[in-house]
Amino acid sequence: GWPSAFTYLNNKILKIHEAEIIEPDGFKKDAKPGEIVKVKKGNGIIVKTHKGYLNILSLQLEGKKEMPSRQFILGHKIKEGDILGNLSLRG
């Protein structure tokens, strides 16, 4: 549905259905936009953006059903330092 945002994870579309902007809380300061800085098993995947940090709460990987991030973390290999985005567009 609308509104949603999308990015890429391992060259698959990753729709972000629910997220919240959060304040920095000791996260990696030199992280690049799209970099996962924290995987919170109970409540989110925190990603660095151009201007701050986004906590992804609900998402959907291409070909899969929408799910809370806590379920996604259990079923997918995702870790701090992984980069979201289309790698072919990066310089």
Side-chain angles (χ1 to χ4, degrees):
W2 186 90
S4 68
F6 74 93
T7 187
Y8 294 88
L9 176 64
N10 300 325
N11 295 318
K12 290 187 177 183
I13 295 172
L14 181 71
K15 279 188 176 181
I16 299 169
H17 290 281
E18 184 180 358
E20 62 186 355
I21 297 169
I22 60 171
E23 295 296 319
D25 186 21
F27 303 128
K28 185 177 172 186
K29 300 285 187 219
D30 61 344
K32 297 180 173 102
E35 184 174 343
I36 296 172
V37 296
K38 184 79 174 168
V39 177
K40 298 174 84 175
K41 295 204 188 271
N43 62 347
I45 300 166
I46 300 172
V47 179
K48 174 73 169 94
T49 68
H50 284 284
K51 295 187 177 189
Y53 296 89
L54 188 70
N55 186 18
I56 300 172
L57 302 170
S58 175
L59 58 153
Q60 179 180 6
L61 191 60
E62 183 178 331
K64 304 290 184 182
K65 296 192 319 188
E66 179 182 352
M67 64 182 72
S69 60
R70 68 181 175 277
Q71 278 186 298
F72 186 86
I73 292 164
L74 293 173
H76 295 83
K77 292 182 181 181
I78 190 165
K79 63 185 181 314
E80 294 174 19
D82 285 351
I83 305 288
L84 300 180
N86 189 342
L87 299 180
S88 66
L89 298 178
R90 294 180 182 249

